[in-house]
Amino acid sequence: QVQLVQSGAEVKKPGASVRVSCETSGFPFTGYFMHWVRQAPGQGLEWLGWINPNTGDTNYAQKFQGRVTMSRDTSITTVFMEVNWLRSDDTALYYCARDLNGNSHFDYWGQGTLVTVSS
Amino acid sequence: QSALTQPASVSGSPGQSITISCTGISSDVEGFVYVSWYQHQPGKAPKLILYNVANRPSGVSNRFSGSKSGNTASLSISGLQAEDEADYYCNSYSSYNSVGVFGTGTRVTVL
Protein backbone atom coordinates (compact mmCIF):
# COMPACT_ATOMS: atom_id res chain seq x y z
CA GLN A 1 0.00 0.00 0.00
CA VAL A 2 1.06 3.59 -0.54
CA GLN A 3 2.95 5.04 2.41
CA LEU A 4 4.61 8.38 3.01
CA VAL A 5 6.63 8.45 6.21
CA GLN A 6 8.13 11.74 7.30
CA SER A 7 11.02 12.48 9.64
CA GLY A 8 10.48 13.53 13.23
CA ALA A 9 9.80 16.87 14.86
CA GLU A 10 12.49 19.55 14.81
CA VAL A 11 13.25 22.56 16.98
CA LYS A 12 15.43 25.21 15.39
CA LYS A 13 16.66 28.70 16.18
CA PRO A 14 15.88 31.67 13.92
CA GLY A 15 18.33 31.85 11.03
CA ALA A 16 19.02 28.13 11.03
CA SER A 17 18.04 25.58 8.38
CA VAL A 18 15.88 22.48 8.61
CA ARG A 19 15.64 19.45 6.33
CA VAL A 20 12.54 17.28 6.37
CA SER A 21 12.45 13.90 4.68
CA CYS A 22 9.54 11.93 3.24
CA GLU A 23 10.20 8.25 2.58
CA THR A 24 7.82 6.72 0.06
CA SER A 25 6.79 3.15 -0.66
CA GLY A 26 4.06 1.20 -2.40
CA PHE A 27 4.17 2.99 -5.75
CA PRO A 28 6.67 3.82 -8.54
CA PHE A 29 8.75 6.61 -7.00
CA THR A 30 9.58 8.28 -10.31
CA GLY A 31 6.00 8.15 -11.56
CA TYR A 32 4.40 10.78 -9.35
CA PHE A 33 5.16 14.40 -8.59
CA MET A 34 5.55 15.12 -4.88
CA HIS A 35 4.44 18.32 -3.20
CA TRP A 36 5.02 20.00 0.14
CA VAL A 37 2.29 21.76 2.10
CA ARG A 38 2.42 23.40 5.51
CA GLN A 39 -0.01 24.55 8.18
CA ALA A 40 1.02 27.11 10.77
CA PRO A 41 -0.75 27.06 14.14
CA GLY A 42 -4.30 28.32 13.75
CA GLN A 43 -3.79 28.97 10.04
CA GLY A 44 -4.85 27.30 6.82
CA LEU A 45 -2.99 25.07 4.40
CA GLU A 46 -0.20 26.65 2.35
CA TRP A 47 1.34 25.14 -0.78
CA LEU A 48 5.15 25.33 -0.93
CA GLY A 49 6.04 23.64 -4.20
CA TRP A 50 6.63 20.39 -6.04
CA ILE A 51 9.42 18.13 -7.21
CA ASN A 52 9.42 15.70 -10.11
CA PRO A 53 11.25 12.67 -8.65
CA ASN A 54 12.02 11.41 -12.15
CA THR A 55 13.95 14.45 -13.35
CA GLY A 56 14.60 16.38 -10.16
CA ASP A 57 12.81 19.41 -11.61
CA THR A 58 11.21 21.66 -9.02
CA ASN A 59 8.80 24.57 -8.85
CA TYR A 60 8.22 26.71 -5.79
CA ALA A 61 5.57 29.14 -4.67
CA GLN A 62 6.87 32.64 -5.24
CA LYS A 63 6.86 33.33 -1.50
CA PHE A 64 9.40 30.57 -0.89
CA GLN A 65 11.69 30.95 -3.90
CA GLY A 66 15.28 31.30 -2.76
CA ARG A 67 14.58 29.95 0.71
CA VAL A 68 13.15 26.48 0.08
CA THR A 69 14.92 23.66 -1.74
CA MET A 70 13.34 20.35 -2.67
CA SER A 71 15.39 17.34 -3.66
CA ARG A 72 15.15 13.59 -3.98
CA ASP A 73 17.20 10.43 -3.64
CA THR A 74 15.87 7.79 -5.99
CA SER A 75 17.98 5.05 -4.37
CA ILE A 76 15.96 5.33 -1.18
CA THR A 77 12.69 6.62 -2.73
CA THR A 78 12.77 9.68 -0.52
CA VAL A 79 12.09 13.33 -1.15
CA PHE A 80 13.48 16.14 0.96
CA MET A 81 12.55 19.72 1.70
CA GLU A 82 15.00 22.19 3.17
CA VAL A 83 14.02 25.59 4.50
CA ASN A 84 16.81 28.10 5.07
CA TRP A 85 16.97 31.26 7.18
CA LEU A 86 14.16 30.07 9.39
CA ARG A 87 11.90 32.64 11.02
CA SER A 88 9.39 32.27 13.81
CA ASP A 89 6.55 32.33 11.31
CA ASP A 90 7.96 29.18 9.70
CA THR A 91 6.74 27.28 12.75
CA ALA A 92 4.29 24.85 11.21
CA LEU A 93 3.32 21.29 10.50
CA TYR A 94 4.92 20.34 7.19
CA TYR A 95 3.37 17.66 4.99
CA CYS A 96 4.58 15.86 1.90
CA ALA A 97 1.87 14.73 -0.49
CA ARG A 98 1.69 12.63 -3.63
CA ASP A 99 0.17 14.14 -6.77
CA LEU A 100 -2.53 11.88 -8.17
CA ASN A 101 -2.23 12.90 -11.81
CA GLY A 102 0.22 15.79 -12.19
CA ASN A 103 -2.48 18.38 -11.67
CA SER A 104 -1.80 19.14 -8.03
CA HIS A 105 -4.40 16.72 -6.65
CA PHE A 106 -2.93 15.26 -3.48
CA ASP A 107 -4.21 11.73 -2.93
CA TYR A 108 -1.77 10.50 -0.27
CA TRP A 109 -0.19 12.51 2.53
CA GLY A 110 2.59 12.01 5.02
CA GLN A 111 1.83 12.17 8.72
CA GLY A 112 3.31 15.65 9.02
CA THR A 113 6.49 16.98 10.62
CA LEU A 114 6.29 19.72 13.21
CA VAL A 115 9.01 22.33 12.81
CA THR A 116 9.27 24.79 15.67
CA VAL A 117 11.39 27.91 15.28
CA SER A 118 12.18 29.54 18.59
CA SER A 119 15.06 31.37 20.15
CA GLN B 1 -0.42 34.34 -5.69
CA SER B 2 -3.13 35.21 -3.17
CA ALA B 3 -5.14 32.57 -1.38
CA LEU B 4 -8.54 31.74 -2.77
CA THR B 5 -11.49 33.09 -0.77
CA GLN B 6 -13.76 30.74 1.14
CA PRO B 7 -16.37 31.50 3.81
CA ALA B 8 -14.88 31.13 7.27
CA SER B 9 -17.65 28.89 8.50
CA VAL B 10 -20.73 27.05 7.33
CA SER B 11 -23.13 25.08 9.49
CA GLY B 12 -26.11 22.83 9.03
CA SER B 13 -28.28 20.30 10.79
CA PRO B 14 -27.94 16.57 10.22
CA GLY B 15 -29.51 15.59 6.93
CA GLN B 16 -29.34 19.06 5.45
CA SER B 17 -27.25 20.14 2.47
CA ILE B 18 -24.59 22.83 2.51
CA THR B 19 -22.42 24.49 -0.14
CA ILE B 20 -18.95 25.98 0.24
CA SER B 21 -17.69 28.46 -2.32
CA CYS B 22 -14.10 29.05 -3.45
CA THR B 23 -13.59 32.31 -5.28
CA GLY B 24 -10.70 33.76 -7.17
CA ILE B 25 -9.71 30.95 -9.52
CA SER B 26 -7.84 32.19 -12.55
CA SER B 27 -9.78 32.23 -15.79
CA ASP B 28 -9.25 29.53 -18.34
CA VAL B 29 -7.70 32.12 -20.59
CA GLU B 30 -4.56 31.73 -18.52
CA GLY B 31 -4.46 27.99 -19.03
CA PHE B 32 -6.18 25.00 -17.58
CA VAL B 33 -7.02 25.31 -13.92
CA TYR B 34 -7.37 22.20 -11.82
CA VAL B 35 -9.53 22.35 -8.71
CA SER B 36 -9.50 19.93 -5.82
CA TRP B 37 -11.09 19.85 -2.37
CA TYR B 38 -9.74 18.51 0.93
CA GLN B 39 -11.30 17.55 4.24
CA HIS B 40 -9.05 18.21 7.22
CA GLN B 41 -9.95 16.87 10.64
CA PRO B 42 -7.95 17.58 13.82
CA GLY B 43 -4.93 15.36 14.25
CA LYS B 44 -5.18 13.86 10.79
CA ALA B 45 -3.63 14.57 7.42
CA PRO B 46 -5.89 16.27 4.90
CA LYS B 47 -8.01 13.96 2.75
CA LEU B 48 -8.71 14.43 -0.95
CA ILE B 49 -12.47 14.39 -1.52
CA LEU B 50 -12.79 15.90 -5.02
CA TYR B 51 -10.38 16.44 -7.91
CA ASN B 52 -10.67 17.88 -11.40
CA VAL B 53 -13.55 19.97 -9.97
CA ALA B 54 -16.06 17.15 -9.56
CA ASN B 55 -14.37 13.73 -9.53
CA ARG B 56 -14.48 11.65 -6.35
CA PRO B 57 -11.57 9.37 -5.44
CA SER B 58 -12.43 5.78 -4.69
CA GLY B 59 -14.03 5.43 -1.27
CA VAL B 60 -15.31 9.00 -0.98
CA SER B 61 -19.02 9.30 -0.33
CA ASN B 62 -21.25 10.44 -3.18
CA ARG B 63 -22.70 12.96 -0.74
CA PHE B 64 -19.78 15.17 -1.81
CA SER B 65 -20.10 16.90 -5.16
CA GLY B 66 -18.34 19.75 -6.93
CA SER B 67 -18.90 22.32 -9.63
CA LYS B 68 -17.22 25.38 -11.13
CA SER B 69 -18.57 28.49 -12.81
CA GLY B 70 -16.38 31.34 -13.93
CA ASN B 71 -13.91 32.13 -11.18
CA THR B 72 -15.80 30.26 -8.45
CA ALA B 73 -15.73 26.59 -7.54
CA SER B 74 -18.18 25.01 -5.12
CA LEU B 75 -18.28 21.97 -2.85
CA SER B 76 -21.68 20.62 -1.84
CA ILE B 77 -22.32 18.16 0.95
CA SER B 78 -25.73 16.52 1.02
CA GLY B 79 -27.24 14.53 3.89
CA LEU B 80 -24.95 16.23 6.38
CA GLN B 81 -23.57 13.88 9.05
CA ALA B 82 -21.72 14.46 12.31
CA GLU B 83 -18.59 12.89 10.78
CA ASP B 84 -18.52 15.69 8.18
CA GLU B 85 -17.41 18.20 10.81
CA ALA B 86 -14.01 19.38 9.62
CA ASP B 87 -12.14 22.14 7.87
CA TYR B 88 -12.51 22.11 4.10
CA TYR B 89 -9.99 23.60 1.66
CA CYS B 90 -10.12 24.15 -2.05
CA ASN B 91 -6.95 24.11 -4.12
CA SER B 92 -6.37 25.54 -7.57
CA TYR B 93 -3.47 24.66 -9.80
CA SER B 94 -2.61 26.45 -13.00
CA SER B 95 -0.84 24.61 -15.75
CA TYR B 96 0.12 28.02 -17.17
CA ASN B 97 2.75 28.69 -14.54
CA SER B 98 2.68 25.43 -12.58
CA VAL B 99 1.68 27.20 -9.41
CA GLY B 100 -0.82 26.05 -6.84
CA VAL B 101 -2.75 27.85 -4.13
CA PHE B 102 -5.12 26.83 -1.36
CA GLY B 103 -8.30 28.50 -0.28
CA THR B 104 -8.58 30.18 3.10
CA GLY B 105 -10.49 27.23 4.53
CA THR B 106 -14.05 26.72 5.79
CA ARG B 107 -15.00 25.25 9.16
CA VAL B 108 -18.09 23.05 8.78
CA THR B 109 -20.16 22.56 11.91
CA VAL B 110 -22.98 20.05 12.22
CA LEU B 111 -25.53 21.49 14.61
Side-chain angles (χ1 to χ4, degrees):
Chain A
Q1 72 279 25
V2 173
Q3 285 193 309
L4 306 178
V5 179
Q6 298 182 221
S7 48
E10 303 265 11
V11 179
K12 296 290 184 180
K13 293 191 182 302
S17 298
V18 69
R19 192 191 199 203
V20 180
S21 67
C22 172
E23 182 179 358
T24 74
S25 61
F27 64 96
F29 178 68
T30 57
Y32 293 82
F33 280 38
M34 295 294 295
H35 296 245
W36 289 89
V37 175
R38 76 178 188 181
Q39 184 176 38
Q43 303 299 309
L45 300 177
E46 185 172 30
W47 179 79
L48 278 70
W50 56 254
I51 180 169
N52 179 346
N54 185 39
T55 63
D57 289 344
T58 55
N59 194 48
Y60 307 122
Q62 186 173 10
K63 174 180 178 179
F64 299 103
Q65 286 179 4
R67 210 163 64 87
V68 167
T69 303
M70 297 177 188
S71 59
R72 92 294 192 207
D73 185 334
T74 56
S75 68
I76 54 173
T77 64
T78 299
V79 294
F80 304 91
M81 183 203 59
E82 183 170 15
V83 184
N84 301 309
W85 306 296
L86 286 165
R87 307 187 294 248
S88 59
D89 61 0
D90 290 318
T91 294
L93 189 58
Y94 289 78
Y95 293 100
C96 62
R98 190 185 83 160
D99 192 330
L100 169 67
N101 53 10
N103 296 332
S104 194
H105 299 147
F106 314 131
D107 61 346
Y108 286 92
W109 295 66
Q111 82 277 19
T113 297
L114 180 62
V115 175
T116 303
V117 183
S118 174
S119 55
Chain B
Q1 189 164 2
S2 300
L4 307 172
T5 301
Q6 297 180 232
S9 62
V10 173
S11 62
S13 300
Q16 285 187 330
S17 296
I18 61 171
T19 297
I20 302 169
S21 60
C22 172
T23 302
I25 295 175
S26 302
S27 73
D28 288 345
V29 172
E30 297 178 2
F32 266 144
V33 173
Y34 300 96
V35 180
S36 52
W37 288 89
Y38 300 85
Q39 179 190 67
H40 195 193
Q41 295 176 321
K44 297 183 178 180
K47 175 185 177 183
L48 177 67
I49 55 173
L50 291 174
Y51 67 96
N52 283 349
V53 177
N55 292 290
R56 282 186 304 275
S58 174
V60 173
S61 172
N62 59 9
R63 296 185 299 104
F64 295 94
S65 61
S67 63
K68 177 175 172 286
S69 177
N71 72 337
T72 298
S74 298
L75 164 68
S76 296
I77 309 175
S78 62
L80 202 60
Q81 300 178 1
E83 66 197 47
D84 299 331
E85 276 206 345
D87 294 326
Y88 290 82
Y89 294 90
C90 60
N91 178 279
S92 171
Y93 182 75
S94 169
S95 62
Y96 174 71
N97 55 8
S98 299
V99 169
V101 64
F102 280 99
T104 49
T106 299
R107 174 69 54 88
V108 168
T109 302
V110 181
L111 301 172

